Amino acid sequence: ESDATAAMYGMFNQFRSAFSGGYIYWGEYRTGLWGEGLASQSDRDNTYLNRLSSSHAQSNWGGIYTTINDCNLILKYTPEIEFVNEANKNKVLANAYFVRAFCYYWIGRIWGDAPLLLNGFESDKQDDLYPTRTPAAEVFAQVEKDIAAALEKMPANVTDRNMASKASINLLKADYWLWMAKVRNGGTAALQNAKTALAEVTSISSYALLSDYASVFKNELNNEIIFAWSYVKDEYTGGYPADFLVPSQYTSTATIENPVKVGSHQQWCFYTQVYKDFLSSVATDKRTIVSFQTFYDAPKKQTFQWINKYAGKWESGTRIFDSDVIVYRYADVILFNAEIENALGNKSAAITELNKIAKRAYGVDNYYSATLSTAEVNEKIVDERMKEFAAEGKIWWDFVRFGVAFKKVPSLVGRENEENVLLWPVNSASINGNPNITQTPGFI
């Protein structure tokens, strides 16, 4: 039992590591909303401009498949282990199914066709070491199966926020079915599946939208958080938010943390001016200063900018990036509900949901009028997602799901006919290490 439980925690450590950098590349940097910060790197610049190649570091799926292998071995051996409490065994299994479902959901969206591995590798002499790419439809079908298995196994009394729970599994289920409905022709049935999954989350009273937006990112594991990767001092810190802050040596000493948030290395990336203008477009929007802040350092004669989300803390002259990275929170539930209701033709219900987010942001009731058309509601949902989830690794998927990537992303305008341009190439290391892996068509 102790081995299985330790393996579960180890799986989550690998899960967190696998997404610590790629999460923002795969989920946001391709939107055209990002550019260089105080310095630049070619992999980042190529991502912002949708110039992806097999040499790009984030085209490597190795970390995700290592996580999947951890899941597979847990699912292989845990059923044979006798637990004192069967509910604890079911929790281990449910977490493994949840993590595997999450990983394959991302793999299917990032690379499309990909190896579907379910057995677990324990030796370099196994017969199945060189898999081929399975059609994306089968990859997504496995996600559905794993979500169902996770829900079946997960004890109802589990309320973890750094690991799986009924709520986080159902939110992944809603996310999945919304994608299947709008990107993979799942239709009304898929939308209804997503709606039903969200209803399971809203039925749990311990989750709610916080009244203060900034508090979502200040108080870890608060009532808005449904699932987050745990970052802990002296255990695991860093991740993609480490790239958002100003190097401490650049600023005047008096400005450090007063107000400039400084980091331990170069500020490699930041929002474009267009995106900053958009985030600042409503003066009363309480999210703006959380999403980014600027300050003119008079002695240095330079304006600095930084992101206040996931900034960790400044201790003894060192930035410790120990803020949990949020994957799902209650705002996802509300905006997914708005999207689903609008897609089902329930425009008024969609506007009601949208106004819940607007109320917190702008402090105004009924911010969005009932006279909006269905198309306008979709536009407003995208707008609010761009403001609500800035720097949270979601907006690329929103653009694809709403079918606006070729309209909103400058580097994709006019490229609709390029084969698989919304996918990623497979890293050359994966192809060189496995003769059965072929490159994503459209890439070299």
Side-chain angles (χ1 to χ4, degrees), residues 92-115:
V92 171
L93 293 169
N95 272 285
Y97 280 121
F98 168 76
V99 172
R100 191 169 74 177
F102 188 101
C103 288
Y104 275 127
Y105 179 47
W106 278 68
I107 284 172
R109 294 187 299 172
I110 297 166
W111 290 281
D113 299 350

mmCIF file with all atom_site columns, all heavy atoms in Angstrom, residues 92-115:
data_model
loop_
_atom_site.group_PDB
_atom_site.id
_atom_site.type_symbol
_atom_site.label_atom_id
_atom_site.label_alt_id
_atom_site.label_comp_id
_atom_site.label_asym_id
_atom_site.label_entity_id
_atom_site.label_seq_id
_atom_site.pdbx_PDB_ins_code
_atom_site.Cartn_x
_atom_site.Cartn_y
_atom_site.Cartn_z
_atom_site.occupancy
_atom_site.B_iso_or_equiv
_atom_site.pdbx_formal_charge
_atom_site.auth_seq_id
_atom_site.auth_comp_id
_atom_site.auth_asym_id
_atom_site.auth_atom_id
_atom_site.pdbx_PDB_model_num
ATOM 1   N N   . VAL A 1 92  ? -5.981  6.096  -5.251  1.00 0.00 ? 92  VAL A N   1
ATOM 2   C CA  . VAL A 1 92  ? -4.740  5.963  -6.033  1.00 0.00 ? 92  VAL A CA  1
ATOM 3   C C   . VAL A 1 92  ? -5.069  5.698  -7.494  1.00 0.00 ? 92  VAL A C   1
ATOM 4   O O   . VAL A 1 92  ? -4.519  6.328  -8.405  1.00 0.00 ? 92  VAL A O   1
ATOM 5   C CB  . VAL A 1 92  ? -3.860  4.833  -5.458  1.00 0.00 ? 92  VAL A CB  1
ATOM 6   C CG1 . VAL A 1 92  ? -2.683  4.551  -6.390  1.00 0.00 ? 92  VAL A CG1 1
ATOM 7   C CG2 . VAL A 1 92  ? -3.344  5.206  -4.071  1.00 0.00 ? 92  VAL A CG2 1
ATOM 8   N N   . LEU A 1 93  ? -5.972  4.757  -7.740  1.00 0.00 ? 93  LEU A N   1
ATOM 9   C CA  . LEU A 1 93  ? -6.342  4.416  -9.116  1.00 0.00 ? 93  LEU A CA  1
ATOM 10  C C   . LEU A 1 93  ? -7.011  5.590  -9.818  1.00 0.00 ? 93  LEU A C   1
ATOM 11  O O   . LEU A 1 93  ? -6.711  5.874  -10.991 1.00 0.00 ? 93  LEU A O   1
ATOM 12  C CB  . LEU A 1 93  ? -7.269  3.203  -9.109  1.00 0.00 ? 93  LEU A CB  1
ATOM 13  C CG  . LEU A 1 93  ? -6.637  1.882  -8.657  1.00 0.00 ? 93  LEU A CG  1
ATOM 14  C CD1 . LEU A 1 93  ? -7.713  0.823  -8.432  1.00 0.00 ? 93  LEU A CD1 1
ATOM 15  C CD2 . LEU A 1 93  ? -5.605  1.399  -9.669  1.00 0.00 ? 93  LEU A CD2 1
ATOM 16  N N   . ALA A 1 94  ? -7.909  6.279  -9.114  1.00 0.00 ? 94  ALA A N   1
ATOM 17  C CA  . ALA A 1 94  ? -8.606  7.426  -9.717  1.00 0.00 ? 94  ALA A CA  1
ATOM 18  C C   . ALA A 1 94  ? -7.631  8.515  -10.116 1.00 0.00 ? 94  ALA A C   1
ATOM 19  O O   . ALA A 1 94  ? -7.768  9.122  -11.184 1.00 0.00 ? 94  ALA A O   1
ATOM 20  C CB  . ALA A 1 94  ? -9.645  7.967  -8.740  1.00 0.00 ? 94  ALA A CB  1
ATOM 21  N N   . ASN A 1 95  ? -6.640  8.776  -9.284  1.00 0.00 ? 95  ASN A N   1
ATOM 22  C CA  . ASN A 1 95  ? -5.653  9.792  -9.616  1.00 0.00 ? 95  ASN A CA  1
ATOM 23  C C   . ASN A 1 95  ? -4.841  9.401  -10.852 1.00 0.00 ? 95  ASN A C   1
ATOM 24  O O   . ASN A 1 95  ? -4.537  10.241 -11.700 1.00 0.00 ? 95  ASN A O   1
ATOM 25  C CB  . ASN A 1 95  ? -4.730  10.041 -8.424  1.00 0.00 ? 95  ASN A CB  1
ATOM 26  C CG  . ASN A 1 95  ? -5.262  11.103 -7.487  1.00 0.00 ? 95  ASN A CG  1
ATOM 27  O OD1 . ASN A 1 95  ? -5.215  12.285 -7.783  1.00 0.00 ? 95  ASN A OD1 1
ATOM 28  N ND2 . ASN A 1 95  ? -5.800  10.674 -6.352  1.00 0.00 ? 95  ASN A ND2 1
ATOM 29  N N   . ALA A 1 96  ? -4.503  8.128  -10.964 1.00 0.00 ? 96  ALA A N   1
ATOM 30  C CA  . ALA A 1 96  ? -3.755  7.671  -12.134 1.00 0.00 ? 96  ALA A CA  1
ATOM 31  C C   . ALA A 1 96  ? -4.589  7.808  -13.409 1.00 0.00 ? 96  ALA A C   1
ATOM 32  O O   . ALA A 1 96  ? -4.077  8.240  -14.461 1.00 0.00 ? 96  ALA A O   1
ATOM 33  C CB  . ALA A 1 96  ? -3.299  6.228  -11.943 1.00 0.00 ? 96  ALA A CB  1
ATOM 34  N N   . TYR A 1 97  ? -5.858  7.449  -13.327 1.00 0.00 ? 97  TYR A N   1
ATOM 35  C CA  . TYR A 1 97  ? -6.732  7.619  -14.496 1.00 0.00 ? 97  TYR A CA  1
ATOM 36  C C   . TYR A 1 97  ? -6.891  9.100  -14.855 1.00 0.00 ? 97  TYR A C   1
ATOM 37  O O   . TYR A 1 97  ? -6.895  9.461  -16.040 1.00 0.00 ? 97  TYR A O   1
ATOM 38  C CB  . TYR A 1 97  ? -8.111  7.008  -14.216 1.00 0.00 ? 97  TYR A CB  1
ATOM 39  C CG  . TYR A 1 97  ? -8.182  5.509  -14.365 1.00 0.00 ? 97  TYR A CG  1
ATOM 40  C CD1 . TYR A 1 97  ? -8.568  4.694  -13.298 1.00 0.00 ? 97  TYR A CD1 1
ATOM 41  C CD2 . TYR A 1 97  ? -7.898  4.889  -15.593 1.00 0.00 ? 97  TYR A CD2 1
ATOM 42  C CE1 . TYR A 1 97  ? -8.658  3.316  -13.433 1.00 0.00 ? 97  TYR A CE1 1
ATOM 43  C CE2 . TYR A 1 97  ? -7.979  3.506  -15.734 1.00 0.00 ? 97  TYR A CE2 1
ATOM 44  C CZ  . TYR A 1 97  ? -8.356  2.728  -14.650 1.00 0.00 ? 97  TYR A CZ  1
ATOM 45  O OH  . TYR A 1 97  ? -8.441  1.362  -14.793 1.00 0.00 ? 97  TYR A OH  1
ATOM 46  N N   . PHE A 1 98  ? -7.038  9.953  -13.843 1.00 0.00 ? 98  PHE A N   1
ATOM 47  C CA  . PHE A 1 98  ? -7.184  11.393 -14.087 1.00 0.00 ? 98  PHE A CA  1
ATOM 48  C C   . PHE A 1 98  ? -5.951  11.966 -14.780 1.00 0.00 ? 98  PHE A C   1
ATOM 49  O O   . PHE A 1 98  ? -6.067  12.686 -15.789 1.00 0.00 ? 98  PHE A O   1
ATOM 50  C CB  . PHE A 1 98  ? -7.424  12.118 -12.763 1.00 0.00 ? 98  PHE A CB  1
ATOM 51  C CG  . PHE A 1 98  ? -7.306  13.621 -12.842 1.00 0.00 ? 98  PHE A CG  1
ATOM 52  C CD1 . PHE A 1 98  ? -8.318  14.389 -13.397 1.00 0.00 ? 98  PHE A CD1 1
ATOM 53  C CD2 . PHE A 1 98  ? -6.174  14.280 -12.362 1.00 0.00 ? 98  PHE A CD2 1
ATOM 54  C CE1 . PHE A 1 98  ? -8.216  15.779 -13.471 1.00 0.00 ? 98  PHE A CE1 1
ATOM 55  C CE2 . PHE A 1 98  ? -6.058  15.663 -12.428 1.00 0.00 ? 98  PHE A CE2 1
ATOM 56  C CZ  . PHE A 1 98  ? -7.075  16.418 -12.981 1.00 0.00 ? 98  PHE A CZ  1
ATOM 57  N N   . VAL A 1 99  ? -4.779  11.654 -14.259 1.00 0.00 ? 99  VAL A N   1
ATOM 58  C CA  . VAL A 1 99  ? -3.548  12.204 -14.839 1.00 0.00 ? 99  VAL A CA  1
ATOM 59  C C   . VAL A 1 99  ? -3.344  11.673 -16.255 1.00 0.00 ? 99  VAL A C   1
ATOM 60  O O   . VAL A 1 99  ? -2.966  12.419 -17.160 1.00 0.00 ? 99  VAL A O   1
ATOM 61  C CB  . VAL A 1 99  ? -2.333  11.887 -13.943 1.00 0.00 ? 99  VAL A CB  1
ATOM 62  C CG1 . VAL A 1 99  ? -1.032  12.293 -14.631 1.00 0.00 ? 99  VAL A CG1 1
ATOM 63  C CG2 . VAL A 1 99  ? -2.462  12.607 -12.600 1.00 0.00 ? 99  VAL A CG2 1
ATOM 64  N N   . ARG A 1 100 ? -3.616  10.392 -16.470 1.00 0.00 ? 100 ARG A N   1
ATOM 65  C CA  . ARG A 1 100 ? -3.456  9.848  -17.825 1.00 0.00 ? 100 ARG A CA  1
ATOM 66  C C   . ARG A 1 100 ? -4.447  10.484 -18.790 1.00 0.00 ? 100 ARG A C   1
ATOM 67  O O   . ARG A 1 100 ? -4.095  10.808 -19.939 1.00 0.00 ? 100 ARG A O   1
ATOM 68  C CB  . ARG A 1 100 ? -3.613  8.327  -17.812 1.00 0.00 ? 100 ARG A CB  1
ATOM 69  C CG  . ARG A 1 100 ? -3.179  7.688  -19.139 1.00 0.00 ? 100 ARG A CG  1
ATOM 70  C CD  . ARG A 1 100 ? -3.084  6.184  -19.044 1.00 0.00 ? 100 ARG A CD  1
ATOM 71  N NE  . ARG A 1 100 ? -4.397  5.530  -19.002 1.00 0.00 ? 100 ARG A NE  1
ATOM 72  C CZ  . ARG A 1 100 ? -4.573  4.217  -18.975 1.00 0.00 ? 100 ARG A CZ  1
ATOM 73  N NH1 . ARG A 1 100 ? -3.517  3.405  -18.953 1.00 0.00 ? 100 ARG A NH1 1
ATOM 74  N NH2 . ARG A 1 100 ? -5.797  3.693  -18.954 1.00 0.00 ? 100 ARG A NH2 1
ATOM 75  N N   . ALA A 1 101 ? -5.675  10.684 -18.335 1.00 0.00 ? 101 ALA A N   1
ATOM 76  C CA  . ALA A 1 101 ? -6.666  11.350 -19.189 1.00 0.00 ? 101 ALA A CA  1
ATOM 77  C C   . ALA A 1 101 ? -6.216  12.758 -19.534 1.00 0.00 ? 101 ALA A C   1
ATOM 78  O O   . ALA A 1 101 ? -6.302  13.188 -20.702 1.00 0.00 ? 101 ALA A O   1
ATOM 79  C CB  . ALA A 1 101 ? -8.019  11.384 -18.482 1.00 0.00 ? 101 ALA A CB  1
ATOM 80  N N   . PHE A 1 102 ? -5.741  13.494 -18.549 1.00 0.00 ? 102 PHE A N   1
ATOM 81  C CA  . PHE A 1 102 ? -5.271  14.865 -18.777 1.00 0.00 ? 102 PHE A CA  1
ATOM 82  C C   . PHE A 1 102 ? -4.132  14.872 -19.792 1.00 0.00 ? 102 PHE A C   1
ATOM 83  O O   . PHE A 1 102 ? -4.132  15.678 -20.737 1.00 0.00 ? 102 PHE A O   1
ATOM 84  C CB  . PHE A 1 102 ? -4.803  15.460 -17.448 1.00 0.00 ? 102 PHE A CB  1
ATOM 85  C CG  . PHE A 1 102 ? -4.468  16.926 -17.501 1.00 0.00 ? 102 PHE A CG  1
ATOM 86  C CD1 . PHE A 1 102 ? -5.363  17.878 -17.029 1.00 0.00 ? 102 PHE A CD1 1
ATOM 87  C CD2 . PHE A 1 102 ? -3.245  17.377 -18.003 1.00 0.00 ? 102 PHE A CD2 1
ATOM 88  C CE1 . PHE A 1 102 ? -5.053  19.234 -17.065 1.00 0.00 ? 102 PHE A CE1 1
ATOM 89  C CE2 . PHE A 1 102 ? -2.927  18.721 -18.047 1.00 0.00 ? 102 PHE A CE2 1
ATOM 90  C CZ  . PHE A 1 102 ? -3.835  19.654 -17.582 1.00 0.00 ? 102 PHE A CZ  1
ATOM 91  N N   . CYS A 1 103 ? -3.171  13.976 -19.602 1.00 0.00 ? 103 CYS A N   1
ATOM 92  C CA  . CYS A 1 103 ? -2.012  13.941 -20.499 1.00 0.00 ? 103 CYS A CA  1
ATOM 93  C C   . CYS A 1 103 ? -2.419  13.613 -21.936 1.00 0.00 ? 103 CYS A C   1
ATOM 94  O O   . CYS A 1 103 ? -1.967  14.266 -22.886 1.00 0.00 ? 103 CYS A O   1
ATOM 95  C CB  . CYS A 1 103 ? -0.993  12.926 -19.993 1.00 0.00 ? 103 CYS A CB  1
ATOM 96  S SG  . CYS A 1 103 ? -0.096  13.437 -18.512 1.00 0.00 ? 103 CYS A SG  1
ATOM 97  N N   . TYR A 1 104 ? -3.264  12.612 -22.105 1.00 0.00 ? 104 TYR A N   1
ATOM 98  C CA  . TYR A 1 104 ? -3.673  12.259 -23.469 1.00 0.00 ? 104 TYR A CA  1
ATOM 99  C C   . TYR A 1 104 ? -4.578  13.329 -24.079 1.00 0.00 ? 104 TYR A C   1
ATOM 100 O O   . TYR A 1 104 ? -4.559  13.530 -25.303 1.00 0.00 ? 104 TYR A O   1
ATOM 101 C CB  . TYR A 1 104 ? -4.349  10.885 -23.500 1.00 0.00 ? 104 TYR A CB  1
ATOM 102 C CG  . TYR A 1 104 ? -3.354  9.756  -23.614 1.00 0.00 ? 104 TYR A CG  1
ATOM 103 C CD1 . TYR A 1 104 ? -3.363  8.689  -22.722 1.00 0.00 ? 104 TYR A CD1 1
ATOM 104 C CD2 . TYR A 1 104 ? -2.381  9.768  -24.625 1.00 0.00 ? 104 TYR A CD2 1
ATOM 105 C CE1 . TYR A 1 104 ? -2.438  7.653  -22.834 1.00 0.00 ? 104 TYR A CE1 1
ATOM 106 C CE2 . TYR A 1 104 ? -1.457  8.740  -24.739 1.00 0.00 ? 104 TYR A CE2 1
ATOM 107 C CZ  . TYR A 1 104 ? -1.482  7.693  -23.840 1.00 0.00 ? 104 TYR A CZ  1
ATOM 108 O OH  . TYR A 1 104 ? -0.556  6.679  -23.957 1.00 0.00 ? 104 TYR A OH  1
ATOM 109 N N   . TYR A 1 105 ? -5.346  14.030 -23.254 1.00 0.00 ? 105 TYR A N   1
ATOM 110 C CA  . TYR A 1 105 ? -6.155  15.139 -23.768 1.00 0.00 ? 105 TYR A CA  1
ATOM 111 C C   . TYR A 1 105 ? -5.250  16.216 -24.352 1.00 0.00 ? 105 TYR A C   1
ATOM 112 O O   . TYR A 1 105 ? -5.496  16.733 -25.455 1.00 0.00 ? 105 TYR A O   1
ATOM 113 C CB  . TYR A 1 105 ? -7.024  15.695 -22.642 1.00 0.00 ? 105 TYR A CB  1
ATOM 114 C CG  . TYR A 1 105 ? -7.896  16.868 -23.028 1.00 0.00 ? 105 TYR A CG  1
ATOM 115 C CD1 . TYR A 1 105 ? -8.659  16.855 -24.188 1.00 0.00 ? 105 TYR A CD1 1
ATOM 116 C CD2 . TYR A 1 105 ? -7.971  17.994 -22.206 1.00 0.00 ? 105 TYR A CD2 1
ATOM 117 C CE1 . TYR A 1 105 ? -9.474  17.929 -24.535 1.00 0.00 ? 105 TYR A CE1 1
ATOM 118 C CE2 . TYR A 1 105 ? -8.786  19.066 -22.540 1.00 0.00 ? 105 TYR A CE2 1
ATOM 119 C CZ  . TYR A 1 105 ? -9.528  19.037 -23.705 1.00 0.00 ? 105 TYR A CZ  1
ATOM 120 O OH  . TYR A 1 105 ? -10.327 20.108 -24.038 1.00 0.00 ? 105 TYR A OH  1
ATOM 121 N N   . TRP A 1 106 ? -4.186  16.546 -23.640 1.00 0.00 ? 106 TRP A N   1
ATOM 122 C CA  . TRP A 1 106 ? -3.252  17.549 -24.150 1.00 0.00 ? 106 TRP A CA  1
ATOM 123 C C   . TRP A 1 106 ? -2.471  17.031 -25.347 1.00 0.00 ? 106 TRP A C   1
ATOM 124 O O   . TRP A 1 106 ? -2.279  17.754 -26.326 1.00 0.00 ? 106 TRP A O   1
ATOM 125 C CB  . TRP A 1 106 ? -2.331  18.025 -23.023 1.00 0.00 ? 106 TRP A CB  1
ATOM 126 C CG  . TRP A 1 106 ? -2.986  19.079 -22.188 1.00 0.00 ? 106 TRP A CG  1
ATOM 127 C CD1 . TRP A 1 106 ? -4.057  18.922 -21.350 1.00 0.00 ? 106 TRP A CD1 1
ATOM 128 C CD2 . TRP A 1 106 ? -2.658  20.476 -22.156 1.00 0.00 ? 106 TRP A CD2 1
ATOM 129 N NE1 . TRP A 1 106 ? -4.399  20.129 -20.798 1.00 0.00 ? 106 TRP A NE1 1
ATOM 130 C CE2 . TRP A 1 106 ? -3.563  21.089 -21.266 1.00 0.00 ? 106 TRP A CE2 1
ATOM 131 C CE3 . TRP A 1 106 ? -1.683  21.254 -22.773 1.00 0.00 ? 106 TRP A CE3 1
ATOM 132 C CZ2 . TRP A 1 106 ? -3.526  22.464 -20.992 1.00 0.00 ? 106 TRP A CZ2 1
ATOM 133 C CZ3 . TRP A 1 106 ? -1.631  22.615 -22.494 1.00 0.00 ? 106 TRP A CZ3 1
ATOM 134 C CH2 . TRP A 1 106 ? -2.550  23.208 -21.618 1.00 0.00 ? 106 TRP A CH2 1
ATOM 135 N N   . ILE A 1 107 ? -2.042  15.790 -25.307 1.00 0.00 ? 107 ILE A N   1
ATOM 136 C CA  . ILE A 1 107 ? -1.318  15.220 -26.439 1.00 0.00 ? 107 ILE A CA  1
ATOM 137 C C   . ILE A 1 107 ? -2.184  15.259 -27.695 1.00 0.00 ? 107 ILE A C   1
ATOM 138 O O   . ILE A 1 107 ? -1.715  15.640 -28.780 1.00 0.00 ? 107 ILE A O   1
ATOM 139 C CB  . ILE A 1 107 ? -0.881  13.770 -26.123 1.00 0.00 ? 107 ILE A CB  1
ATOM 140 C CG1 . ILE A 1 107 ? 0.323   13.782 -25.170 1.00 0.00 ? 107 ILE A CG1 1
ATOM 141 C CG2 . ILE A 1 107 ? -0.534  13.005 -27.400 1.00 0.00 ? 107 ILE A CG2 1
ATOM 142 C CD1 . ILE A 1 107 ? 0.719   12.419 -24.655 1.00 0.00 ? 107 ILE A CD1 1
ATOM 143 N N   . GLY A 1 108 ? -3.439  14.859 -27.582 1.00 0.00 ? 108 GLY A N   1
ATOM 144 C CA  . GLY A 1 108 ? -4.330  14.860 -28.739 1.00 0.00 ? 108 GLY A CA  1
ATOM 145 C C   . GLY A 1 108 ? -4.512  16.239 -29.329 1.00 0.00 ? 108 GLY A C   1
ATOM 146 O O   . GLY A 1 108 ? -4.595  16.401 -30.550 1.00 0.00 ? 108 GLY A O   1
ATOM 147 N N   . ARG A 1 109 ? -4.573  17.263 -28.468 1.00 0.00 ? 109 ARG A N   1
ATOM 148 C CA  . ARG A 1 109 ? -4.743  18.633 -28.964 1.00 0.00 ? 109 ARG A CA  1
ATOM 149 C C   . ARG A 1 109 ? -3.444  19.218 -29.499 1.00 0.00 ? 109 ARG A C   1
ATOM 150 O O   . ARG A 1 109 ? -3.467  20.037 -30.428 1.00 0.00 ? 109 ARG A O   1
ATOM 151 C CB  . ARG A 1 109 ? -5.300  19.517 -27.849 1.00 0.00 ? 109 ARG A CB  1
ATOM 152 C CG  . ARG A 1 109 ? -6.709  19.154 -27.425 1.00 0.00 ? 109 ARG A CG  1
ATOM 153 C CD  . ARG A 1 109 ? -7.289  20.155 -26.451 1.00 0.00 ? 109 ARG A CD  1
ATOM 154 N NE  . ARG A 1 109 ? -6.515  20.257 -25.220 1.00 0.00 ? 109 ARG A NE  1
ATOM 155 C CZ  . ARG A 1 109 ? -6.729  21.169 -24.271 1.00 0.00 ? 109 ARG A CZ  1
ATOM 156 N NH1 . ARG A 1 109 ? -7.696  22.066 -24.418 1.00 0.00 ? 109 ARG A NH1 1
ATOM 157 N NH2 . ARG A 1 109 ? -5.992  21.185 -23.169 1.00 0.00 ? 109 ARG A NH2 1
ATOM 158 N N   . ILE A 1 110 ? -2.314  18.820 -28.922 1.00 0.00 ? 110 ILE A N   1
ATOM 159 C CA  . ILE A 1 110 ? -1.028  19.393 -29.345 1.00 0.00 ? 110 ILE A CA  1
ATOM 160 C C   . ILE A 1 110 ? -0.516  18.724 -30.612 1.00 0.00 ? 110 ILE A C   1
ATOM 161 O O   . ILE A 1 110 ? -0.134  19.404 -31.569 1.00 0.00 ? 110 ILE A O   1
ATOM 162 C CB  . ILE A 1 110 ? 0.019   19.254 -28.220 1.00 0.00 ? 110 ILE A CB  1
ATOM 163 C CG1 . ILE A 1 110 ? -0.399  20.038 -26.977 1.00 0.00 ? 110 ILE A CG1 1
ATOM 164 C CG2 . ILE A 1 110 ? 1.388   19.756 -28.698 1.00 0.00 ? 110 ILE A CG2 1
ATOM 165 C CD1 . ILE A 1 110 ? 0.398   19.673 -25.732 1.00 0.00 ? 110 ILE A CD1 1
ATOM 166 N N   . TRP A 1 111 ? -0.491  17.386 -30.628 1.00 0.00 ? 111 TRP A N   1
ATOM 167 C CA  . TRP A 1 111 ? 0.131   16.664 -31.740 1.00 0.00 ? 111 TRP A CA  1
ATOM 168 C C   . TRP A 1 111 ? -0.852  15.899 -32.622 1.00 0.00 ? 111 TRP A C   1
ATOM 169 O O   . TRP A 1 111 ? -0.460  15.412 -33.684 1.00 0.00 ? 111 TRP A O   1
ATOM 170 C CB  . TRP A 1 111 ? 1.181   15.685 -31.205 1.00 0.00 ? 111 TRP A CB  1
ATOM 171 C CG  . TRP A 1 111 ? 2.401   16.358 -30.652 1.00 0.00 ? 111 TRP A CG  1
ATOM 172 C CD1 . TRP A 1 111 ? 3.449   16.879 -31.384 1.00 0.00 ? 111 TRP A CD1 1
ATOM 173 C CD2 . TRP A 1 111 ? 2.720   16.590 -29.272 1.00 0.00 ? 111 TRP A CD2 1
ATOM 174 N NE1 . TRP A 1 111 ? 4.393   17.413 -30.537 1.00 0.00 ? 111 TRP A NE1 1
ATOM 175 C CE2 . TRP A 1 111 ? 3.976   17.260 -29.230 1.00 0.00 ? 111 TRP A CE2 1
ATOM 176 C CE3 . TRP A 1 111 ? 2.085   16.306 -28.079 1.00 0.00 ? 111 TRP A CE3 1
ATOM 177 C CZ2 . TRP A 1 111 ? 4.595   17.627 -28.036 1.00 0.00 ? 111 TRP A CZ2 1
ATOM 178 C CZ3 . TRP A 1 111 ? 2.685   16.678 -26.889 1.00 0.00 ? 111 TRP A CZ3 1
ATOM 179 C CH2 . TRP A 1 111 ? 3.921   17.325 -26.869 1.00 0.00 ? 111 TRP A CH2 1
ATOM 180 N N   . GLY A 1 112 ? -2.093  15.761 -32.206 1.00 0.00 ? 112 GLY A N   1
ATOM 181 C CA  . GLY A 1 112 ? -3.027  14.968 -33.010 1.00 0.00 ? 112 GLY A CA  1
ATOM 182 C C   . GLY A 1 112 ? -2.724  13.490 -32.855 1.00 0.00 ? 112 GLY A C   1
ATOM 183 O O   . GLY A 1 112 ? -2.769  12.943 -31.750 1.00 0.00 ? 112 GLY A O   1
ATOM 184 N N   . ASP A 1 113 ? -2.413  12.813 -33.953 1.00 0.00 ? 113 ASP A N   1
ATOM 185 C CA  . ASP A 1 113 ? -2.031  11.399 -33.891 1.00 0.00 ? 113 ASP A CA  1
ATOM 186 C C   . ASP A 1 113 ? -0.814  11.243 -32.983 1.00 0.00 ? 113 ASP A C   1
ATOM 187 O O   . ASP A 1 113 ? 0.157   12.014 -33.086 1.00 0.00 ? 113 ASP A O   1
ATOM 188 C CB  . ASP A 1 113 ? -1.678  10.877 -35.282 1.00 0.00 ? 113 ASP A CB  1
ATOM 189 C CG  . ASP A 1 113 ? -2.844  10.952 -36.263 1.00 0.00 ? 113 ASP A CG  1
ATOM 190 O OD1 . ASP A 1 113 ? -3.981  11.240 -35.823 1.00 0.00 ? 113 ASP A OD1 1
ATOM 191 O OD2 . ASP A 1 113 ? -2.599  10.744 -37.470 1.00 0.00 ? 113 ASP A OD2 1
ATOM 192 N N   . ALA A 1 114 ? -0.844  10.239 -32.108 1.00 0.00 ? 114 ALA A N   1
ATOM 193 C CA  . ALA A 1 114 ? 0.262   10.043 -31.159 1.00 0.00 ? 114 ALA A CA  1
ATOM 194 C C   . ALA A 1 114 ? 0.194   8.630  -30.606 1.00 0.00 ? 114 ALA A C   1
ATOM 195 O O   . ALA A 1 114 ? -0.880  8.012  -30.568 1.00 0.00 ? 114 ALA A O   1
ATOM 196 C CB  . ALA A 1 114 ? 0.162   11.063 -30.021 1.00 0.00 ? 114 ALA A CB  1
ATOM 197 N N   . PRO A 1 115 ? 1.327   8.084  -30.169 1.00 0.00 ? 115 PRO A N   1
ATOM 198 C CA  . PRO A 1 115 ? 1.302   6.736  -29.589 1.00 0.00 ? 115 PRO A CA  1
ATOM 199 C C   . PRO A 1 115 ? 0.327   6.651  -28.421 1.00 0.00 ? 115 PRO A C   1
ATOM 200 O O   . PRO A 1 115 ? 0.296   7.533  -27.556 1.00 0.00 ? 115 PRO A O   1
ATOM 201 C CB  . PRO A 1 115 ? 2.747   6.535  -29.110 1.00 0.00 ? 115 PRO A CB  1
ATOM 202 C CG  . PRO A 1 115 ? 3.566   7.425  -29.997 1.00 0.00 ? 115 PRO A CG  1
ATOM 203 C CD  . PRO A 1 115 ? 2.703   8.625  -30.237 1.00 0.00 ? 115 PRO A CD  1
#
